[in-house]
Amino acid sequence: MQFSFSSRYRITPTSFLDELFRVSRDPSIISFAGGLPDTDLIDLDGIRDATAAVLEEEGRAALQYTTTDGYLPLRECIARRYQERLGIPAVPEEIQIVNGSQQCLDIMGKIFISRGSHIGMEAPGYLGAIDAFSLYEPIIHTVPIIEGGPDPDRFEKLIHNHPLSFFYGIPNCQNPSGTTYSDERRRHLAEILTGSGCAFFEDDAFGELFFDGKPRLPMKHYLLDQTILSGSFSKIIAPGLRIGWIYAPVPVLERFNHAKQAADLHSNLLSQMILVRYLQSNSLDLHIKRITAVYKEKCRLICDHLDALGLTHTEPEGGMFLMATLPEGTSSMQLFKEGVKAGVAILPGIPFYPHGGGEDTIRINFSSPSTEEINLGMERLKKAFRAL
Amino acid sequence: MQFSFSSRYRITPTSFLDELFRVSRDPSIISFAGGLPDTDLIDLDGIRDATAAVLEEEGRAALQYTTTDGYLPLRECIARRYQERLGIPAVPEEIQIVNGSQQCLDIMGKIFISRGSHIGMEAPGYLGAIDAFSLYEPIIHTVPIIEGGPDPDRFEKLIHNHPLSFFYGIPNCQNPSGTTYSDERRRHLAEILTGSGCAFFEDDAFGELFFDGKPRLPMKHYLLDQTILSGSFSKIIAPGLRIGWIYAPVPVLERFNHAKQAADLHSNLLSQMILVRYLQSNSLDLHIKRITAVYKEKCRLICDHLDALGLTHTEPEGGMFLMATLPEGTSSMQLFKEGVKAGVAILPGIPFYPHGGGEDTIRINFSSPSTEEINLGMERLKKAFRAL
């Protein structure tokens, strides 16, 4: 049977991704290539108690269909946190629950991108965003990440020369580079965007994970009605519950809601209720402090190892990733292959550049491996370098 | 701010759907317009025990990220049920977990439909499918549902005259009509499709809900390599868990998996594990028997009321819906409005016809309202008829 697939689906996946997938399942390989939060830091007791309370108190209602927008008490919790933590006047009516913030990327693509629409993003940029947007066949423009965020001159030219539907970026602890936009850069980008007709799609998966615990004002603060902001419980509570959200102006949210309904009716209700109960019974701030203290240590340890290897690298202020630059003439793809032979996986920078680049960079995840795994993995990486 | 939405999103939702939505939230209105399974039949104790066991035994692993294809033991349960119940040689490698079978509609649209692609479906057809497919801008052809399934002559002409990417249908207890394809019709449609290049997309949300408990052989049996079959736990265990699946030939599943990953990485892991545990510790067959016994009674009761009102209607063999035809000259939209005034909601047939039709039909859900609500609601419907 020869199936008639849509034009967007005639691409076949690369063998590199298959290999990466195989490697990520091999327990003998220490992986810096993934993007998992530290399993040991998931508050199992807290979630177990919350789950029992929900099934006790809500009963069958927790297992029935619900509305597409999401469980109102959860949307209220999210709005309140924006108000209290960042001073942003969020209301539940502007918030929609999704299956982790990855779903925001797909639905934003669906409602903003026709074939040939122009969109912008960072280079390097989040691989999951490139994947999600590409299926709607846009023309993707990129702006390089430099010190303090996207290059403002290149950004300004892009906004003036092309009718972008949106610019997608991760201002806090970016995936993959670990860069955080400076406050000044945020203001500057907001000035450029004002009156331009280009929305800013702000992915804030990591904004709660600053090592110093201090929140940074999001682009949403500078461009309230022009910014679509996404967030997630995956990195601060538990990814397996698959709950994130979008916080967007009402005209966007109406379309988003329609697309979400067509996509899967609504997100898991039991998980939404568990999260509300968890947030009522536990201090999220204290829990996050525990997570960031561990991540700060692991990040420091990896940076020390990379320094010892003589590699330059970004210095993340938080999040889960950093990026290292290889010595001239070293191929990240070759290093990946040698690494796998030595029992360690790193992620070449290449897939983070939709138009090529990143041959001499690697992304390193510091949240998932334990201290012991970091030490052993970095030894193996040294061996891989020597083999090159 | 004027946002630049994609071409597929310039449509604004109709005021009728807003009204329907309002009505569905009004507790003073008895609703036959929704599509919820009976809340009282959700096995709360069984799910509570399964949940506690999962969190006890799997611990934090139940709350971490997992692979896109879904939890292997759940895919094994699903494959085994196809083998044992229907004699179909399903294997876990051909099964992918999704957020309820609605997500299959969206992803199938994404991987099969380019703007202007031809697809086919039943008229009347499932509203959620029309919504999901329409966002990918196909040309939709319809085949009328007659006695025993889609009109075979019209079906044959359609398959011969247009290069369909797929034909979407619900052979068992169709939503909205309540019709079940006869075995003979299934064989006939399969013959027409053989060698045609048109896939059959078989939505089997209701195949476990036959009142007589006897399984019908799906189209997948007649066209193994040409059929993409979707299923769901929403109607037989609990909708709030949002877990369904697709069972498809590998070339389709590869693309489906890629699109699922871009859409939301994976489905809720905790729910997947709860379902496996539930299926291990409980008899699904006995539970389904309990459900169908109740639905059979409720369906019979509604049919009796409709007979007393002098309305012709379909005679479902199972599922959750039936369709009634109004006396000549009666508008279903007018009946909807009069019904709301009298405190009862029915669903006009109109939105189930992408190209118009259904003005004189209504869909009635018999799974959700209680016996008392059915009796009271039908009294109110009689009042609405008198007011017309």
Side-chain angles (χ1 to χ4, degrees), chain A residues 15-24 29 31 33 326 331-348 362 381 384 388:
Chain A
S15 58
F16 162 65
L17 289 177
D18 289 345
E19 172 67 3
L20 186 66
F21 184 69
R22 195 192 60 72
V23 158
S24 70
I29 290 175
S31 180
L326 305 181
S331 142
S332 58
M333 215 48 124
Q334 280 301 325
L335 182 64
F336 171 74
K337 285 177 192 159
E338 283 301 330
V340 169
K341 281 189 215 159
V344 64
I346 48 83
L347 198 54
I362 57 173
L381 194 63
L388 277 181

PDB file of all heavy atoms in Angstrom, chain A residues 15-24 29 31 33 326 331-348 362 381 384 388:
ATOM      1  N   SER A  15      19.455   9.561  10.056  1.00  0.00           N
ATOM      2  CA  SER A  15      19.997   8.425  10.788  1.00  0.00           C
ATOM      3  C   SER A  15      20.665   8.890  12.082  1.00  0.00           C
ATOM      4  O   SER A  15      20.753   8.133  13.042  1.00  0.00           O
ATOM      5  CB  SER A  15      20.989   7.681   9.920  1.00  0.00           C
ATOM      6  OG  SER A  15      22.013   8.561   9.535  1.00  0.00           O
ATOM      7  N   PHE A  16      21.108  10.167  12.124  1.00  0.00           N
ATOM      8  CA  PHE A  16      21.718  10.680  13.347  1.00  0.00           C
ATOM      9  C   PHE A  16      20.722  10.641  14.506  1.00  0.00           C
ATOM     10  O   PHE A  16      21.045  10.237  15.615  1.00  0.00           O
ATOM     11  CB  PHE A  16      22.241  12.110  13.136  1.00  0.00           C
ATOM     12  CG  PHE A  16      22.482  12.845  14.414  1.00  0.00           C
ATOM     13  CD1 PHE A  16      23.457  12.416  15.308  1.00  0.00           C
ATOM     14  CD2 PHE A  16      21.717  13.952  14.746  1.00  0.00           C
ATOM     15  CE1 PHE A  16      23.660  13.080  16.502  1.00  0.00           C
ATOM     16  CE2 PHE A  16      21.917  14.619  15.943  1.00  0.00           C
ATOM     17  CZ  PHE A  16      22.893  14.182  16.822  1.00  0.00           C
ATOM     18  N   LEU A  17      19.478  11.060  14.222  1.00  0.00           N
ATOM     19  CA  LEU A  17      18.476  11.068  15.290  1.00  0.00           C
ATOM     20  C   LEU A  17      18.150   9.648  15.757  1.00  0.00           C
ATOM     21  O   LEU A  17      17.935   9.411  16.936  1.00  0.00           O
ATOM     22  CB  LEU A  17      17.210  11.816  14.850  1.00  0.00           C
ATOM     23  CG  LEU A  17      17.377  13.334  14.738  1.00  0.00           C
ATOM     24  CD1 LEU A  17      16.091  13.978  14.215  1.00  0.00           C
ATOM     25  CD2 LEU A  17      17.761  13.971  16.067  1.00  0.00           C
ATOM     26  N   ASP A  18      18.141   8.705  14.817  1.00  0.00           N
ATOM     27  CA  ASP A  18      17.933   7.303  15.189  1.00  0.00           C
ATOM     28  C   ASP A  18      19.033   6.821  16.129  1.00  0.00           C
ATOM     29  O   ASP A  18      18.769   6.156  17.131  1.00  0.00           O
ATOM     30  CB  ASP A  18      17.911   6.409  13.940  1.00  0.00           C
ATOM     31  CG  ASP A  18      16.651   6.618  13.112  1.00  0.00           C
ATOM     32  OD1 ASP A  18      15.696   7.210  13.639  1.00  0.00           O
ATOM     33  OD2 ASP A  18      16.648   6.199  11.941  1.00  0.00           O
ATOM     34  N   GLU A  19      20.259   7.197  15.779  1.00  0.00           N
ATOM     35  CA  GLU A  19      21.414   6.791  16.583  1.00  0.00           C
ATOM     36  C   GLU A  19      21.333   7.425  17.976  1.00  0.00           C
ATOM     37  O   GLU A  19      21.568   6.767  18.992  1.00  0.00           O
ATOM     38  CB  GLU A  19      22.697   7.236  15.853  1.00  0.00           C
ATOM     39  CG  GLU A  19      23.994   7.059  16.624  1.00  0.00           C
ATOM     40  CD  GLU A  19      24.378   5.605  16.864  1.00  0.00           C
ATOM     41  OE1 GLU A  19      23.657   4.717  16.382  1.00  0.00           O
ATOM     42  OE2 GLU A  19      25.393   5.366  17.547  1.00  0.00           O
ATOM     43  N   LEU A  20      20.948   8.698  18.004  1.00  0.00           N
ATOM     44  CA  LEU A  20      20.809   9.409  19.273  1.00  0.00           C
ATOM     45  C   LEU A  20      19.770   8.723  20.159  1.00  0.00           C
ATOM     46  O   LEU A  20      19.941   8.554  21.363  1.00  0.00           O
ATOM     47  CB  LEU A  20      20.385  10.853  18.995  1.00  0.00           C
ATOM     48  CG  LEU A  20      20.326  11.774  20.207  1.00  0.00           C
ATOM     49  CD1 LEU A  20      21.715  11.994  20.783  1.00  0.00           C
ATOM     50  CD2 LEU A  20      19.695  13.108  19.828  1.00  0.00           C
ATOM     51  N   PHE A  21      18.684   8.294  19.519  1.00  0.00           N
ATOM     52  CA  PHE A  21      17.608   7.639  20.225  1.00  0.00           C
ATOM     53  C   PHE A  21      18.094   6.308  20.810  1.00  0.00           C
ATOM     54  O   PHE A  21      17.839   5.999  21.969  1.00  0.00           O
ATOM     55  CB  PHE A  21      16.454   7.418  19.240  1.00  0.00           C
ATOM     56  CG  PHE A  21      15.238   6.835  19.869  1.00  0.00           C
ATOM     57  CD1 PHE A  21      14.479   7.585  20.760  1.00  0.00           C
ATOM     58  CD2 PHE A  21      14.836   5.550  19.579  1.00  0.00           C
ATOM     59  CE1 PHE A  21      13.354   7.047  21.350  1.00  0.00           C
ATOM     60  CE2 PHE A  21      13.713   5.004  20.165  1.00  0.00           C
ATOM     61  CZ  PHE A  21      12.967   5.756  21.053  1.00  0.00           C
ATOM     62  N   ARG A  22      18.834   5.557  20.000  1.00  0.00           N
ATOM     63  CA  ARG A  22      19.357   4.271  20.453  1.00  0.00           C
ATOM     64  C   ARG A  22      20.265   4.482  21.666  1.00  0.00           C
ATOM     65  O   ARG A  22      20.163   3.793  22.679  1.00  0.00           O
ATOM     66  CB  ARG A  22      20.150   3.609  19.309  1.00  0.00           C
ATOM     67  CG  ARG A  22      20.451   2.135  19.503  1.00  0.00           C
ATOM     68  CD  ARG A  22      21.479   1.612  18.508  1.00  0.00           C
ATOM     69  NE  ARG A  22      22.779   2.289  18.587  1.00  0.00           N
ATOM     70  CZ  ARG A  22      23.658   2.126  19.581  1.00  0.00           C
ATOM     71  NH1 ARG A  22      23.402   1.312  20.586  1.00  0.00           N
ATOM     72  NH2 ARG A  22      24.810   2.775  19.576  1.00  0.00           N
ATOM     73  N   VAL A  23      21.142   5.475  21.547  1.00  0.00           N
ATOM     74  CA  VAL A  23      22.114   5.784  22.582  1.00  0.00           C
ATOM     75  C   VAL A  23      21.431   6.168  23.894  1.00  0.00           C
ATOM     76  O   VAL A  23      21.839   5.762  24.984  1.00  0.00           O
ATOM     77  CB  VAL A  23      23.022   6.929  22.070  1.00  0.00           C
ATOM     78  CG1 VAL A  23      23.680   7.666  23.222  1.00  0.00           C
ATOM     79  CG2 VAL A  23      24.045   6.380  21.089  1.00  0.00           C
ATOM     80  N   SER A  24      20.326   6.940  23.773  1.00  0.00           N
ATOM     81  CA  SER A  24      19.655   7.429  24.972  1.00  0.00           C
ATOM     82  C   SER A  24      18.998   6.295  25.751  1.00  0.00           C
ATOM     83  O   SER A  24      18.639   6.447  26.910  1.00  0.00           O
ATOM     84  CB  SER A  24      18.624   8.494  24.613  1.00  0.00           C
ATOM     85  OG  SER A  24      17.541   7.887  23.940  1.00  0.00           O
ATOM     86  N   ILE A  29      25.728   3.883  28.561  1.00  0.00           N
ATOM     87  CA  ILE A  29      26.226   5.182  28.089  1.00  0.00           C
ATOM     88  C   ILE A  29      25.755   6.300  29.026  1.00  0.00           C
ATOM     89  O   ILE A  29      24.567   6.389  29.345  1.00  0.00           O
ATOM     90  CB  ILE A  29      25.759   5.436  26.637  1.00  0.00           C
ATOM     91  CG1 ILE A  29      26.504   4.469  25.707  1.00  0.00           C
ATOM     92  CG2 ILE A  29      26.002   6.882  26.218  1.00  0.00           C
ATOM     93  CD1 ILE A  29      26.070   4.515  24.271  1.00  0.00           C
ATOM     94  N   SER A  31      24.697   9.917  29.590  1.00  0.00           N
ATOM     95  CA  SER A  31      24.172  10.863  28.608  1.00  0.00           C
ATOM     96  C   SER A  31      24.120  12.294  29.124  1.00  0.00           C
ATOM     97  O   SER A  31      23.490  12.588  30.145  1.00  0.00           O
ATOM     98  CB  SER A  31      22.774  10.437  28.158  1.00  0.00           C
ATOM     99  OG  SER A  31      22.298  11.367  27.208  1.00  0.00           O
ATOM    100  N   ALA A  33      23.194  14.222  26.632  1.00  0.00           N
ATOM    101  CA  ALA A  33      22.522  14.604  25.378  1.00  0.00           C
ATOM    102  C   ALA A  33      21.028  14.842  25.557  1.00  0.00           C
ATOM    103  O   ALA A  33      20.399  15.480  24.727  1.00  0.00           O
ATOM    104  CB  ALA A  33      22.740  13.508  24.326  1.00  0.00           C
ATOM    105  N   LEU A 326      34.092  23.664  20.519  1.00  0.00           N
ATOM    106  CA  LEU A 326      35.214  22.734  20.369  1.00  0.00           C
ATOM    107  C   LEU A 326      36.410  23.467  19.764  1.00  0.00           C
ATOM    108  O   LEU A 326      36.250  24.501  19.116  1.00  0.00           O
ATOM    109  CB  LEU A 326      34.796  21.561  19.470  1.00  0.00           C
ATOM    110  CG  LEU A 326      33.536  20.807  19.920  1.00  0.00           C
ATOM    111  CD1 LEU A 326      33.235  19.656  18.958  1.00  0.00           C
ATOM    112  CD2 LEU A 326      33.715  20.265  21.339  1.00  0.00           C
ATOM    113  N   SER A 331      35.236  18.301  14.846  1.00  0.00           N
ATOM    114  CA  SER A 331      33.841  18.180  14.413  1.00  0.00           C
ATOM    115  C   SER A 331      33.008  17.591  15.546  1.00  0.00           C
ATOM    116  O   SER A 331      33.346  16.552  16.117  1.00  0.00           O
ATOM    117  CB  SER A 331      33.773  17.273  13.167  1.00  0.00           C
ATOM    118  OG  SER A 331      32.632  16.457  13.224  1.00  0.00           O
ATOM    119  N   SER A 332      31.899  18.264  15.841  1.00  0.00           N
ATOM    120  CA  SER A 332      31.033  17.795  16.927  1.00  0.00           C
ATOM    121  C   SER A 332      30.424  16.438  16.581  1.00  0.00           C
ATOM    122  O   SER A 332      30.145  15.619  17.449  1.00  0.00           O
ATOM    123  CB  SER A 332      29.944  18.817  17.227  1.00  0.00           C
ATOM    124  OG  SER A 332      29.171  19.073  16.068  1.00  0.00           O
ATOM    125  N   MET A 333      30.210  16.182  15.297  1.00  0.00           N
ATOM    126  CA  MET A 333      29.653  14.911  14.877  1.00  0.00           C
ATOM    127  C   MET A 333      30.656  13.782  15.100  1.00  0.00           C
ATOM    128  O   MET A 333      30.289  12.688  15.541  1.00  0.00           O
ATOM    129  CB  MET A 333      29.247  15.004  13.401  1.00  0.00           C
ATOM    130  CG  MET A 333      28.023  14.223  13.033  1.00  0.00           C
ATOM    131  SD  MET A 333      26.619  14.455  14.149  1.00  0.00           S
ATOM    132  CE  MET A 333      25.368  14.989  13.020  1.00  0.00           C
ATOM    133  N   GLN A 334      31.927  14.058  14.791  1.00  0.00           N
ATOM    134  CA  GLN A 334      32.989  13.086  15.073  1.00  0.00           C
ATOM    135  C   GLN A 334      33.102  12.832  16.575  1.00  0.00           C
ATOM    136  O   GLN A 334      33.258  11.697  17.017  1.00  0.00           O
ATOM    137  CB  GLN A 334      34.342  13.618  14.542  1.00  0.00           C
ATOM    138  CG  GLN A 334      34.536  13.430  13.039  1.00  0.00           C
ATOM    139  CD  GLN A 334      34.457  11.957  12.635  1.00  0.00           C
ATOM    140  OE1 GLN A 334      34.882  11.072  13.379  1.00  0.00           O
ATOM    141  NE2 GLN A 334      33.861  11.687  11.477  1.00  0.00           N
ATOM    142  N   LEU A 335      32.992  13.936  17.356  1.00  0.00           N
ATOM    143  CA  LEU A 335      33.090  13.798  18.812  1.00  0.00           C
ATOM    144  C   LEU A 335      31.928  12.957  19.348  1.00  0.00           C
ATOM    145  O   LEU A 335      32.096  12.129  20.241  1.00  0.00           O
ATOM    146  CB  LEU A 335      33.106  15.176  19.486  1.00  0.00           C
ATOM    147  CG  LEU A 335      33.262  15.149  21.012  1.00  0.00           C
ATOM    148  CD1 LEU A 335      34.619  14.555  21.428  1.00  0.00           C
ATOM    149  CD2 LEU A 335      33.089  16.543  21.623  1.00  0.00           C
ATOM    150  N   PHE A 336      30.748  13.160  18.760  1.00  0.00           N
ATOM    151  CA  PHE A 336      29.590  12.361  19.162  1.00  0.00           C
ATOM    152  C   PHE A 336      29.887  10.874  18.958  1.00  0.00           C
ATOM    153  O   PHE A 336      29.676  10.049  19.847  1.00  0.00           O
ATOM    154  CB  PHE A 336      28.356  12.792  18.366  1.00  0.00           C
ATOM    155  CG  PHE A 336      27.162  11.889  18.545  1.00  0.00           C
ATOM    156  CD1 PHE A 336      26.424  11.914  19.722  1.00  0.00           C
ATOM    157  CD2 PHE A 336      26.776  11.000  17.541  1.00  0.00           C
ATOM    158  CE1 PHE A 336      25.332  11.075  19.896  1.00  0.00           C
ATOM    159  CE2 PHE A 336      25.690  10.159  17.707  1.00  0.00           C
ATOM    160  CZ  PHE A 336      24.960  10.198  18.888  1.00  0.00           C
ATOM    161  N   LYS A 337      30.425  10.552  17.776  1.00  0.00           N
ATOM    162  CA  LYS A 337      30.693   9.139  17.459  1.00  0.00           C
ATOM    163  C   LYS A 337      31.770   8.547  18.369  1.00  0.00           C
ATOM    164  O   LYS A 337      31.614   7.432  18.881  1.00  0.00           O
ATOM    165  CB  LYS A 337      31.113   9.003  15.991  1.00  0.00           C
ATOM    166  CG  LYS A 337      29.917   9.144  15.048  1.00  0.00           C
ATOM    167  CD  LYS A 337      30.327   9.074  13.578  1.00  0.00           C
ATOM    168  CE  LYS A 337      29.165   9.521  12.697  1.00  0.00           C
ATOM    169  NZ  LYS A 337      29.616   9.940  11.355  1.00  0.00           N
ATOM    170  N   GLU A 338      32.840   9.317  18.582  1.00  0.00           N
ATOM    171  CA  GLU A 338      33.909   8.833  19.472  1.00  0.00           C
ATOM    172  C   GLU A 338      33.401   8.719  20.902  1.00  0.00           C
ATOM    173  O   GLU A 338      33.776   7.818  21.641  1.00  0.00           O
ATOM    174  CB  GLU A 338      35.122   9.776  19.422  1.00  0.00           C
ATOM    175  CG  GLU A 338      35.989   9.625  18.167  1.00  0.00           C
ATOM    176  CD  GLU A 338      36.546   8.208  17.991  1.00  0.00           C
ATOM    177  OE1 GLU A 338      36.771   7.513  19.002  1.00  0.00           O
ATOM    178  OE2 GLU A 338      36.721   7.781  16.828  1.00  0.00           O
ATOM    179  N   GLY A 339      32.523   9.679  21.288  1.00  0.00           N
ATOM    180  CA  GLY A 339      31.946   9.670  22.632  1.00  0.00           C
ATOM    181  C   GLY A 339      31.156   8.392  22.867  1.00  0.00           C
ATOM    182  O   GLY A 339      31.304   7.734  23.899  1.00  0.00           O
ATOM    183  N   VAL A 340      30.330   8.029  21.906  1.00  0.00           N
ATOM    184  CA  VAL A 340      29.510   6.822  22.052  1.00  0.00           C
ATOM    185  C   VAL A 340      30.410   5.593  22.227  1.00  0.00           C
ATOM    186  O   VAL A 340      30.147   4.735  23.075  1.00  0.00           O
ATOM    187  CB  VAL A 340      28.553   6.660  20.846  1.00  0.00           C
ATOM    188  CG1 VAL A 340      27.901   5.296  20.853  1.00  0.00           C
ATOM    189  CG2 VAL A 340      27.488   7.763  20.878  1.00  0.00           C
ATOM    190  N   LYS A 341      31.515   5.550  21.469  1.00  0.00           N
ATOM    191  CA  LYS A 341      32.460   4.429  21.628  1.00  0.00           C
ATOM    192  C   LYS A 341      33.035   4.401  23.038  1.00  0.00           C
ATOM    193  O   LYS A 341      33.258   3.344  23.613  1.00  0.00           O
ATOM    194  CB  LYS A 341      33.616   4.570  20.622  1.00  0.00           C
ATOM    195  CG  LYS A 341      33.264   4.136  19.218  1.00  0.00           C
ATOM    196  CD  LYS A 341      34.516   4.087  18.332  1.00  0.00           C
ATOM    197  CE  LYS A 341      34.180   4.505  16.906  1.00  0.00           C
ATOM    198  NZ  LYS A 341      35.366   4.940  16.157  1.00  0.00           N
ATOM    199  N   ALA A 342      33.263   5.601  23.601  1.00  0.00           N
ATOM    200  CA  ALA A 342      33.859   5.685  24.940  1.00  0.00           C
ATOM    201  C   ALA A 342      32.802   5.590  26.042  1.00  0.00           C
ATOM    202  O   ALA A 342      33.140   5.599  27.227  1.00  0.00           O
ATOM    203  CB  ALA A 342      34.641   6.983  25.069  1.00  0.00           C
ATOM    204  N   GLY A 343      31.517   5.547  25.662  1.00  0.00           N
ATOM    205  CA  GLY A 343      30.458   5.397  26.668  1.00  0.00           C
ATOM    206  C   GLY A 343      29.890   6.704  27.191  1.00  0.00           C
ATOM    207  O   GLY A 343      29.408   6.771  28.326  1.00  0.00           O
ATOM    208  N   VAL A 344      29.919   7.743  26.369  1.00  0.00           N
ATOM    209  CA  VAL A 344      29.348   9.026  26.791  1.00  0.00           C
ATOM    210  C   VAL A 344      28.653   9.682  25.590  1.00  0.00           C
ATOM    211  O   VAL A 344      29.120   9.541  24.461  1.00  0.00           O
ATOM    212  CB  VAL A 344      30.440   9.958  27.375  1.00  0.00           C
ATOM    213  CG1 VAL A 344      31.487  10.337  26.327  1.00  0.00           C
ATOM    214  CG2 VAL A 344      29.811  11.217  27.993  1.00  0.00           C
ATOM    215  N   ALA A 345      27.496  10.338  25.843  1.00  0.00           N
ATOM    216  CA  ALA A 345      26.782  10.995  24.740  1.00  0.00           C
ATOM    217  C   ALA A 345      26.675  12.500  24.989  1.00  0.00           C
ATOM    218  O   ALA A 345      26.267  12.939  26.063  1.00  0.00           O
ATOM    219  CB  ALA A 345      25.378  10.400  24.585  1.00  0.00           C
ATOM    220  N   ILE A 346      27.098  13.275  23.999  1.00  0.00           N
ATOM    221  CA  ILE A 346      26.863  14.720  23.982  1.00  0.00           C
ATOM    222  C   ILE A 346      26.031  15.024  22.735  1.00  0.00           C
ATOM    223  O   ILE A 346      25.901  14.169  21.847  1.00  0.00           O
ATOM    224  CB  ILE A 346      28.174  15.530  23.965  1.00  0.00           C
ATOM    225  CG1 ILE A 346      29.139  14.986  22.887  1.00  0.00           C
ATOM    226  CG2 ILE A 346      28.845  15.493  25.340  1.00  0.00           C
ATOM    227  CD1 ILE A 346      28.961  15.434  21.522  1.00  0.00           C
ATOM    228  N   LEU A 347      25.445  16.207  22.670  1.00  0.00           N
ATOM    229  CA  LEU A 347      24.599  16.530  21.522  1.00  0.00           C
ATOM    230  C   LEU A 347      25.298  17.557  20.629  1.00  0.00           C
ATOM    231  O   LEU A 347      25.565  18.677  21.065  1.00  0.00           O
ATOM    232  CB  LEU A 347      23.255  17.084  22.023  1.00  0.00           C
ATOM    233  CG  LEU A 347      22.114  17.077  21.017  1.00  0.00           C
ATOM    234  CD1 LEU A 347      21.882  15.705  20.424  1.00  0.00           C
ATOM    235  CD2 LEU A 347      20.832  17.566  21.676  1.00  0.00           C
ATOM    236  N   PRO A 348      25.633  17.200  19.376  1.00  0.00           N
ATOM    237  CA  PRO A 348      26.229  18.178  18.461  1.00  0.00           C
ATOM    238  C   PRO A 348      25.289  19.368  18.271  1.00  0.00           C
ATOM    239  O   PRO A 348      24.065  19.198  18.289  1.00  0.00           O
ATOM    240  CB  PRO A 348      26.385  17.392  17.158  1.00  0.00           C
ATOM    241  CG  PRO A 348      26.391  15.963  17.558  1.00  0.00           C
ATOM    242  CD  PRO A 348      25.494  15.881  18.741  1.00  0.00           C
ATOM    243  N   ILE A 362      28.732  21.870  21.058  1.00  0.00           N
ATOM    244  CA  ILE A 362      27.968  20.759  21.627  1.00  0.00           C
ATOM    245  C   ILE A 362      27.080  21.293  22.751  1.00  0.00           C
ATOM    246  O   ILE A 362      27.439  22.256  23.429  1.00  0.00           O
ATOM    247  CB  ILE A 362      28.883  19.633  22.179  1.00  0.00           C
ATOM    248  CG1 ILE A 362      29.862  20.181  23.242  1.00  0.00           C
ATOM    249  CG2 ILE A 362      29.643  18.949  21.055  1.00  0.00           C
ATOM    250  CD1 ILE A 362      30.677  19.106  23.942  1.00  0.00           C
ATOM    251  N   LEU A 381      34.663  11.555  28.087  1.00  0.00           N
ATOM    252  CA  LEU A 381      34.716  12.582  27.039  1.00  0.00           C
ATOM    253  C   LEU A 381      36.172  12.939  26.735  1.00  0.00           C
ATOM    254  O   LEU A 381      36.546  13.147  25.575  1.00  0.00           O
ATOM    255  CB  LEU A 381      33.936  13.824  27.491  1.00  0.00           C
ATOM    256  CG  LEU A 381      33.612  14.845  26.391  1.00  0.00           C
ATOM    257  CD1 LEU A 381      32.711  14.250  25.321  1.00  0.00           C
ATOM    258  CD2 LEU A 381      32.948  16.098  26.988  1.00  0.00           C
ATOM    259  N   ALA A 384      37.467  10.409  24.513  1.00  0.00           N
ATOM    260  CA  ALA A 384      36.971  10.605  23.150  1.00  0.00           C
ATOM    261  C   ALA A 384      37.764  11.691  22.439  1.00  0.00           C
ATOM    262  O   ALA A 384      38.086  11.572  21.244  1.00  0.00           O
ATOM    263  CB  ALA A 384      35.478  10.967  23.184  1.00  0.00           C
ATOM    264  N   LEU A 388      40.293  11.458  18.933  1.00  0.00           N
ATOM    265  CA  LEU A 388      40.076  12.244  17.695  1.00  0.00           C
ATOM    266  C   LEU A 388      41.414  12.628  17.056  1.00  0.00           C
ATOM    267  O   LEU A 388      42.273  13.195  17.668  1.00  0.00           O
ATOM    268  CB  LEU A 388      39.276  13.511  18.006  1.00  0.00           C
ATOM    269  CG  LEU A 388      37.759  13.362  18.077  1.00  0.00           C
ATOM    270  CD1 LEU A 388      37.109  14.693  18.370  1.00  0.00           C
ATOM    271  CD2 LEU A 388      37.186  12.761  16.801  1.00  0.00           C
TER     272      LEU A 388
END
